[in-house]
Amino acid sequence: MNDTGTIFIVDDDLAVRDSLESLFGAAGYAVEAYPDAKAFLGACGPQRPGCLVLDMQMPGMSGLDLQAALVERGDSRPIIFLTAHGTVPTTVRALKGGAFDFLEKPADGGALLNLVHRALQRDAEERRAAAQHDLARQRCDALTEREREILQLVVAGNSNKEIGRQLDISHRTVELHRMRIMQKTGAQNVIELAAIAHAAGLIPEPLTPDTAPETS
């Protein structure tokens, strides 16, 4: 059984919904199908991982309208559009709106399975990154202003003595601040500390083993 998320089908054509449910279900994916955009919006919040296989042309709220509504509420799940009436303007609009891809009906089963696999992977990666960012931000929120200042100087490659001179504090005081910084962030070394600081938005780039500063 696939545990990377759910494929949400939104299509007003019952035959298409049944066909797609069979295709994805046979491949081991969790699937939910909805007859229109309003039914999907009422049932599925953005916290549920997965991707959408969305019909472009539907009565009432169209696929593009649903895409816009999802963007407005901060739902970034990947969308694969399906349509029997694809045109260049609608395709461009869909892709500019952040669509993952666009296929014309009847879509090739193998191509569609490949797309949903990639879409689910991207959704999972984005959710992991968001979770890491939230955790890093929570840890860094516990730091004092002085500790944030010292953290940035540490990952920039400054030694304790250099930091002390810049901030006009003693070498020992810097050591104590560094110890508290490591405890609060849960970092085991400077590379981990930089990764946490980067995820929290405190520094522009993470460190690598080649660029890590000395710990003295």
Side-chain angles (χ1 to χ4, degrees):
M1 178 64 66
N2 186 285
D3 59 359
T4 58
T6 300
I7 301 172
F8 301 100
I9 302 165
V10 185
D11 197 304
D12 63 305
D13 189 321
L14 176 60
V16 171
R17 293 200 306 274
D18 287 346
S19 175
L20 293 177
E21 279 191 279
S22 297
L23 174 68
F24 299 140
Y29 290 106
V31 188
E32 293 182 15
Y34 297 89
D36 54 55
K38 288 185 177 180
F40 170 76
L41 286 172
C44 299
Q47 73 280 1
R48 295 186 62 189
C51 70
L52 277 71
V53 176
L54 176 58
D55 185 25
M56 179 70 75
Q57 302 293 334
M58 294 184 292
M61 183 179 284
S62 70
L64 288 174
D65 292 336
L66 175 56
Q67 180 188 35
L70 293 175
V71 170
E72 186 175 347
R73 74 177 189 179
D75 189 334
S76 61
R77 281 174 293 196
I79 296 174
I80 300 167
F81 277 105
L82 297 181
T83 181
H85 310 286
T87 65
V88 172
T90 57
T91 301
V92 170
R93 182 180 166 190
L95 294 175
K96 282 187 175 180
F100 186 78
D101 215 322
F102 190 103
L103 290 178
E104 289 191 4
K105 296 179 180 178
D108 175 76
L112 186 52
L113 285 171
N114 179 58
L115 280 178
V116 298
H117 175 72
R118 289 166 43 209
L120 290 171
Q121 281 187 322
R122 190 178 82 173
D123 183 66
E125 290 167 0
E126 290 181 348
R127 288 177 187 275
R128 280 194 296 270
Q132 290 172 354
H133 170 74
D134 290 342
L135 179 58
R137 186 177 58 189
Q138 290 172 13
R139 291 177 175 179
C140 289
D141 282 348
L143 300 175
T144 65
E145 287 300 318
R146 175 64 89 185
E147 288 166 351
R148 287 174 179 239
E149 190 175 18
I150 291 175
L151 181 155
Q152 291 171 329
L153 291 170
V154 167
V155 299
N158 295 278
S159 69
N160 290 347
K161 291 181 180 179
E162 290 169 335
I163 294 171
R165 284 195 294 269
Q166 291 184 51
L167 301 181
D168 195 24
I169 57 179
S170 71
H171 173 269
R172 294 298 180 189
T173 300
V174 175
E175 287 185 344
L176 288 173
H177 279 302
R178 286 185 65 156
M179 180 180 67
R180 294 192 187 102
I181 291 167
M182 302 302 272
Q183 289 173 342
K184 289 181 179 181
T185 61
Q188 299 298 312
N189 52 54
V190 177
I191 293 179
E192 287 187 13
L193 180 63
I196 292 169
H198 173 64
L202 297 183
I203 62 172
E205 296 293 338
L207 297 176
T208 67
D210 292 336
T211 60
E214 298 293 333
T215 59
S216 61

